[in-house]
Amino acid sequence: MKQRGLRPVLAGVFLIVFAASASAAAPEARGRIFFLMVWDGLRPDFVTQRDTPNLYAMMHDGVRLERHHAIFPTVTMVNAAGLATGADSGSSGIDGDTMYLAPLLHPPSAASEAGAPERPASPKLDSAMKRAVFLENSQLLAELNGADALNGRVLGLDTVAQQVRRVGGYVAILGKRGPTFLFEPDAASAPARSTQSAPSRAADNYLFVAEDLVQPPAIASEILGELAALPERQTPAERADALMTRLAIEKALPSARKAADDGKPALIVLWLRDPDQSQHRAGLGTMPALEALGNCDRNLALVRAAIAAQGLDDRTDLMAVSDHGFATIRIRVELAELLVRNGFKESADSTDVVVAPNGGSDLIYLSAQKFPDASSRRELLQKIVNFAAAQEWCGPIFSRESSLDPRKSYLGWIDGTFSAAAVGMFNSTRTPDLVISFREISDLDNSKLTGPANPAFVLGVNGQRSMQNSSAQLVHKVKGVVYADPGRTTGFTTGMGMHGAAGAYELRNFCAAIGPDFRMRISDRSPTGNADIAPTISEILGLPLNTGPRAWPTGRVISEALSGGPGVKATRISTMTSRLELQGMAVVTTLKLMRVGDHVYLDDADVKHIPLGHSP
């Protein structure tokens, strides 16, 4: 993750110039196949010879990225955008699984008054006009990407898949709805109610399959029936992942081979639902979570066998990566209700202050109509920060604007916060007013949390109350627990799995690769991150530099992992600290950073409550 918070950031910066390659000109596109396999929510310490023998063997035969990092906030859609574009959340414009986009949208009446054609009714867009919306839905994303809404700007940047298509290559995106859309927002768009339609694609040029959308239409009928038969929340997600893997092998690989034979690049992205789905619902270290690891591992074995059987070993690079790590819910925190209880928000569903729950982090938006000037916004934001920072459940807090002190530009304009730019979140139109990351406690395990017999708690408008623990029986304990706000209607409880925060177990995710363009049998201990994947794919496939109006990325080419690469990069470790004094106590928050050149990776966070007069 490339961070830009340690130097001035121009307001309104949304587009960035590609500068990842050291060469002045990129090589010509070539007949390589890159197969990106995403194991949603895989922690590095869960890859073992016992539970994932095929992935374990692959990472030891190829290159293992030992210090790989998710992009903060550590949720799926943020990291999908980063994997697809090579950008941090500020540049991609995606800063949560759940976002409040109403300020960017216009109701039909407003469009009509402006002289534009009135927008037809759309339940999905109308919902987005009123509340924060969950983005893991292809149909919603297609609506948002249409001319009636964001006009092709769901993402602020072009994707590596779009780059492949521009040079006449083959693209196949298969798997979990939501993140798959972000790789191919044009080709994956449903028929639009707008003047702009998705580009026409030949059936042998691309393939898009998510649970809620299949394209091109010529092949949809034969796949939609199988998708309709899938259970909605099967845990483990064995059938859904097996189907997507089979389609990748039977449909995508032969087409990718044809493209490679013609000297064109091919990109296949296979996004598995597990182990994320099973870890969420059953909990880490439970039998469903362990079964999910085994299922994903068998799918990897099938992919590798198919690559070999089709004689593609010499021109196919295979990478297995996760979007984020995981921790165990300690207590469910209903932040919106707590803000109401303390007088900072009118009601749980009011829009004066909107809370978008994202598990380990919450995004907070203030109404421009209710708080029209900087002083009124700052006053309320400081009250919210003072309240949250004093609680045991609070981790680091980030505010939209940066400090005016040039010596401390990494701090936010609200006391006790870091600036959004310091972790690559600043976006002139989409950044929330506050991002509250909940506290991860890395040295605690889930032995007293996971399992139906353990107590479960929720903290809300009526204080702390108990509830039924809905996690599965624990098989073996797992370190890393987090306070979290999954949302009132999600059914998550103590003992289940969660992510989204700025703790080590959520920031440090898995990545390994094997193939003709990667070094063999090495461990790369240079810091890397999900934003580095797209530029690395671009380098391998020989894609031209993307210098257009939606240029990317902020990530770097992981050159030390490539065949003939320069070796391990020099690494520096540094920290940033904020301090807030409250009622005889200092809240000291520290962010740990890893650096390679000017690329910065958020590695961990720590919060200490220190009585005034005591040394930290």
Side-chain angles (χ1 to χ4, degrees), residues 300-317:
L300 172 65
L302 291 172
V303 168
R304 294 198 68 186
I307 291 171
Q310 296 189 37
L312 297 173
D313 290 275
D314 63 341
R315 45 183 157 166
T316 302
D317 293 298

Side-chain angles (χ1 to χ4, degrees), residues 53-131:
N54 294 297
L55 184 55
Y56 184 85
M58 175 186 146
M59 76 178 188
H60 283 284
D61 290 340
V63 56
R64 165 75 185 275
L65 305 181
E66 296 280 358
R67 292 178 169 179
H68 199 67
H69 295 81
I71 301 167
F72 178 79
T74 51
V75 294
T76 293
M77 295 299 281
V78 169
N79 283 275
L83 288 166
T85 65
D88 52 32
S89 60
S91 299
S92 73
I94 303 295
D95 48 27
D97 284 350
T98 301
M99 293 177 63
Y100 184 56
L101 298 170
L104 304 179
L105 304 175
H106 302 285
S109 58
S112 180
E113 290 170 5
E118 185 170 328
R119 173 172 65 79
S122 163
K124 290 183 172 62
L125 286 184
D126 289 344
S127 177
M129 285 293 305
K130 300 171 184 175
R131 61 183 64 87

